[in-house]
Amino acid sequence: MTTFPEKTDLLAAFAEQRALLLITVRGLTDAQAAERTTASELTLGGIVKHLAQGEETWTQIMTEGDGELPAGMLDMGQYRMAGGDTLPALLERYARAARATEAAVAASADLDVSVPLPRTPWSPPEPEYWSVRRILLHLIRETAQHAGHADIIREALDGASTTAQR
């Protein structure tokens, strides 16, 4: 029986969720990536931008460990493709963020390491700490949730679905 280290398994699960999300933007133009197709304000490009920002933010929280609020963490513009955004540039940013996250997790001595969370308007009064594992699981969940949103948005855009495009 072969066993795999927990980091390897979690990073593989995360890579799979990213890959599923990326299927939803395959072959799109910038205009299509920026198009709203449902009652939601979310667009495919906006989801990619948000997930890139999220990985950048959480990787900084994980590696800095200072409890400071990363720049842009609360910026609502992260959910929308801005006029100067292009899908290829957002995809490259997402790929860079993924590599940085993977490197940070690989470099972590222990997934149980406790990291202080930054203070946000919704934070409890006392300081909060998450393990590197919990941060990674949060990112996996966030990616999976938005991959589902992206699949619905893409299907409304042109009828394509992740399942059919695999």
Side-chain angles (χ1 to χ4, degrees):
M1 177 176 176
T2 303
T3 59
F4 297 96
E6 183 181 16
K7 283 184 192 180
T8 301
D9 287 344
L10 289 172
L11 289 173
F14 197 5
E16 183 179 12
Q17 289 306 309
R18 286 190 201 102
L20 289 171
L21 178 274
L22 292 174
I23 290 170
T24 66
V25 296
R26 191 184 297 156
L28 294 182
T29 65
D30 291 340
Q32 289 172 311
E35 188 174 332
R36 238 181 95 205
T37 62
T38 66
S40 170
E41 293 288 326
L42 288 174
T43 66
L44 292 168
I47 289 172
V48 171
K49 186 175 183 178
H50 166 61
L51 290 173
Q53 172 75 31
E55 283 206 47
E56 291 164 352
T57 297
W58 282 102
T59 297
Q60 182 179 342
I61 291 167
M62 193 179 354
T63 58
E64 298 292 323
D66 59 9
E68 295 297 318
L69 189 70
M73 183 175 182
L74 306 181
D75 177 12
M76 296 308 288
Q78 69 180 287
Y79 295 94
R80 291 183 286 293
M81 277 184 77
D85 289 336
T86 67
L87 184 57
L90 292 174
L91 291 171
E92 178 51 37
R93 179 181 175 190
Y94 189 42
R96 275 193 316 273
R99 288 189 299 271
T101 301
E102 290 166 1
V105 171
S108 176
D110 185 349
L111 293 177
D112 289 326
V113 168
S114 184
V115 179
L117 298 187
R119 302 276 311 144
T120 60
W122 54 87
S123 294
E126 65 282 345
E128 239 185 323
Y129 295 84
W130 280 8
S131 67
V132 169
R133 177 183 296 101
R134 184 166 177 190
I135 291 171
L136 185 55
L137 290 169
H138 171 75
L139 286 168
I140 293 168
R141 185 213 44 86
E142 182 83 2
T143 303
Q145 177 181 358
H146 286 306
H149 295 146
D151 204 31
I152 291 167
I153 292 167
R154 177 65 189 257
E155 193 167 356
L157 179 68
D158 64 5
S161 74
T162 303
T163 303
Q165 293 188 64
R166 286 182 110 172

